[in-house]
């Protein structure tokens, strides 16, 4: 992606951030012609309001952009992400400080994203001179990784199946000198990944387990596991058409794990990184796995299929079991797993789970600091018995329908015993309606907060 940043501020057009409470004073300080133009345009400094003020020669003298007052009940720290879609072509600079200059700069970069694989969608022809003290390299690293995640999620499933997802992972591994391996099709059974194989066996596109390794073996081991269900029909427990409509995003966990891995490798963090992605398509065919089927798992736990649409936890289970065998210092999994998480917290606030109190505090703090919202939910022990099955060790879908995100997390916890710390995040990976810096469609969720966490621990 071409850089949105410019180094020279000589001819950059100033952007003045203005609040309602500060508008009267700023208006009086404007040259008379610009003050009259702003009054005639009925500019009120409402958050998100935009006005280009003319110079005497007809050029743009400066841009006014409304943001929330400091004392507002809530402030969108990504408000500046609307600017790339509003500004005429040119180079701009911030004339004064927004609420958070670094986040505003990041938002400006993220707001320039356009998905243009299938039709022309011109990227805004705007550039920004970053404020003093804002690290352009770090902002660029995060932005490019986020755009990778968005591109992967936005690509429809006919062009983003398990094989194509593996190719994208291999391309990333090659770019950073990482190792790459892939176990495909029936080899999953022979190498003891029965749950991954079971979920993906009905598709004409073979399931696989993607495995990337990077970094110095002497450094602390961090393993990332991402759900890569490239399309989810629901299996024989078929989703309705409305529920299937955006299931191209069901590999959003994998997309965000790859984005996070890209940030880690590009920053050269001092970790021994491993990335595991079970990539499958949950299809319908005569050989599809069925309700009440029972399968072994890599860990030896037998699993009764309570619902074929609870497939993400199945593929993650085998991958987590493999990751856990190496006793990583930190094991993180991301997946688009439960509608229950969306009912509880909505699309913008993914829940996370861990029993490590220090890790939980760090994740929550980094989420706030990076404007990448996450909310802790409990691994509630009394609900663990809900996973009991009369014919197998556990079921993948407890009856009753209560606490769906929690029981999913408890299911996955059964496959993690040796890792020193484990973190599970139930993401949505999608923005249903456009917001500043967050266009409608595939989204990078949790990866920025987790990158901040890893940067603090392993810089």
């Amino acid at each position: 992606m071409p850089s949105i940043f410019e180094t020279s501020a000589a001819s950059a057009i100033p952007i003045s951030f203005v609040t309602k409470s500060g508008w009267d004073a700023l208006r009086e300080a404007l040259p008379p012609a610009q003050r009259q133009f702003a009054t005639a345009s009925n500019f009120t400094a409402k958050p998100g309001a935009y006005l280009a003020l003319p110079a005497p020669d007809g050029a743009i003298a400066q841009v006014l952009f409304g943001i929330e007052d400091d004392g507002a009940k809530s402030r969108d720290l990504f408000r500046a992400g609307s600017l790339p879609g509003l500004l005429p072509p040119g180079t701009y600079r911030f004339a004064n400080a927004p609420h958070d200059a670094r986040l505003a700069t990041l938002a400006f970069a993220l707001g320039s994203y356009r998905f243009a694989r299938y039709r022309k969608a011109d990227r805004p022809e705007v550039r920004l001179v970053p404020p003093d003290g804002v690290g352009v390299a770090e902002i660029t690293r995060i932005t490019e990784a986020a755009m990778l995640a968005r591109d992967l999620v936005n690509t429809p499933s006919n062009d983003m199946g398990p094989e194509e997802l593996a190719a994208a992972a291999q391309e990333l591994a090659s770019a950073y000198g990482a190792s790459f391996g892939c176990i495909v099709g029936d080899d999953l059974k022979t190498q003891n990944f029965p749950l991954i194989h079971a979920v993906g066996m009905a598709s004409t596109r073979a399931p696989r387990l993607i495995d990337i390794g990077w970094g110095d073996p002497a450094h602390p081991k961090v393993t990332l596991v991402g759900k890569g269900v490239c399309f989810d029909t629901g299996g024989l427990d078929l989703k309705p058409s409305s529920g299937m409509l955006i299931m191209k995003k069901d590999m959003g966990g994998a997309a965000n794990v790859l984005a996070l891995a890209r940030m880690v490798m590009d920053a050269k963090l001092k970790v021994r990184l491993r990335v595991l992605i079970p990539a499958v398509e949950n299809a319908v065919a005569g050989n599809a796995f069925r309700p009440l089927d029972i399968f072994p798992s890599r860990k030896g736990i037998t699993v009764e299929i309570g619902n074929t649409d609870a497939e993400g936890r199945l593929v993650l289970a085998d991958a987590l079991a493999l990751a856990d065998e190496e006793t990583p210092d930190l094991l993180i999994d991301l997946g688009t797993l439960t509608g229950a998480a969306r009912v509880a917290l909505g699309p913008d606030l993914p829940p996370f789970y861990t029993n490590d109190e220090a890790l939980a505090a760090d994740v929550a703090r980094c989420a706030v600091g990076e404007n990448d919202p996450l909310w802790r939910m409990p691994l509630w022990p009394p609900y663990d018995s809900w996973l009991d099955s009369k014919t197998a060790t556990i079921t993948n879908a407890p009856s009753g329908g209560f606490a769906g995100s929690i029981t999913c997390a408890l299911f996955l916890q059964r496959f993690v015993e040796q890792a020193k710390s484990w973190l599970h995040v139930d993401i949505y990976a999608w923005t249903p309606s456009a917001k500043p810096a967050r266009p409608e469609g595939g989204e990078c969720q949790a990866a920025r907060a987790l990158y901040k966490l890893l940067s603090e621990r392993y810089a």
Side-chain angles (χ1 to χ4, degrees), residues 29-45:
L30 293 173
Q34 292 184 16
R35 183 167 61 247
Q36 177 59 32
F37 186 87
T39 301
S41 301
N42 197 32
F43 182 79
T44 61

Side-chain angles (χ1 to χ4, degrees), residues 330-351:
L330 179 57
L331 174 55
I332 300 172
D333 75 81
L334 302 180
T336 52
L337 285 155
T338 69
R342 316 291 76 88
V343 171
L345 299 175
D348 301 336
L349 185 58

Side-chain angles (χ1 to χ4, degrees), residues 50-350:
Y50 154 86
L51 183 65
L53 296 177
D57 62 359
I60 298 175
Q62 67 170 309
V63 168
L64 304 179
F65 187 69
I67 60 174
E68 296 84 353
D69 282 295
D70 286 337
K73 189 173 182 180
S74 64
R75 297 180 300 172
D76 187 348
L77 300 181
F78 272 2
R79 180 70 67 187
S82 297
L83 285 166
L86 297 172
L87 296 170
T91 298
Y92 297 84
R93 63 178 176 83
F94 295 165
N96 59 333
H99 297 305
D100 186 308
R102 185 181 68 86
L103 288 178
T105 305
L106 174 61
F108 196 101
L110 292 172
S112 71
Y113 173 80
R114 299 293 183 272
F115 183 60
R117 178 166 176 170
Y118 299 95
R119 70 174 188 178
K120 186 176 181 181
D122 292 333
R123 193 179 301 278
E125 296 179 15
V126 294
R127 295 169 70 81
L128 180 70
V129 178
D132 291 341
V134 173
V136 173
E138 182 77 345
I139 295 291
T140 300
R141 175 180 300 125
I142 294 170
T143 301
E144 291 181 348
M147 291 186 177
L148 168 65
R150 289 173 174 178
D151 280 347
L152 291 174
V153 176
N154 284 329
T155 302
S157 298
N158 60 313
D159 287 330
M160 188 52 64
E163 183 176 3
E164 291 82 6
L165 182 56
Q170 185 170 18
E171 181 179 356
L172 179 65
S174 297
Y176 289 96
S179 64
F180 177 84
C182 201
I183 304 170
V184 182
D186 288 342
D187 286 347
L188 290 165
K189 292 179 70 175
T190 59
Q191 296 190 42
N192 194 24
F193 298 99
L195 292 176
I196 298 173
H197 183 269
V199 173
M201 65 186 176
S203 175
T204 57
R205 302 194 283 184
R208 59 203 69 212
L209 178 61
I210 299 161
D211 191 346
I212 294 173
W214 175 88
D216 187 338
H219 288 157
K221 188 166 192 63
V222 173
T223 302
L224 311 177
V225 180
K227 175 187 170 185
V229 178
C230 295
F231 193 82
D232 182 20
T233 65
L236 293 178
D237 287 307
L238 195 68
K239 292 179 183 289
S241 58
S242 59
M244 217 182 295
L245 190 61
I246 57 171
M247 280 300 101
K248 68 178 184 179
K249 80 167 186 66
D250 215 20
M251 39 63 70
N256 279 277
V257 157
L258 289 175
L260 177 54
R262 189 190 193 283
M263 295 182 216
V264 168
M265 294 187 292
D266 194 70
K268 298 180 175 61
L269 297 187
K270 295 178 180 179
V271 298
R272 174 58 175 168
L273 181 69
R274 190 178 192 185
V275 178
L276 296 171
I277 296 173
V280 302
E281 181 176 43
N282 187 18
V284 177
N287 65 331
F289 73 125
R290 295 165 288 263
L292 299 190
D293 280 354
I294 296 175
F295 293 94
S297 66
R298 180 176 184 85
K299 193 171 181 62
I301 296 170
T302 56
V303 181
E304 181 182 31
I305 307 304
N307 192 307
T308 63
D309 197 20
E311 85 299 330
R313 66 198 69 182
L314 296 174
V315 299
L316 285 177
D318 272 353
L320 284 170
L322 172 62
D324 193 56
E325 290 166 11
E326 293 186 323
T327 316
D329 291 83
L330 179 57
L331 174 55
I332 300 172
D333 75 81
L334 302 180
T336 52
L337 285 155
T338 69
R342 316 291 76 88
V343 171
L345 299 175
D348 301 336
L349 185 58

Side-chain angles (χ1 to χ4, degrees), residues 299 301 316-317 319-321 323-325 328 331 333 409-423:
K299 193 171 181 62
I301 296 170
L316 285 177
L320 284 170
D324 193 56
E325 290 166 11
L331 174 55
D333 75 81
L410 291 169
F411 178 93
L412 295 175
Q413 188 181 39
R414 296 285 189 102
F415 298 86
V416 179
E417 289 184 338
Q418 300 180 62
K420 295 177 183 177
S421 291
W422 169 60
L423 175 71

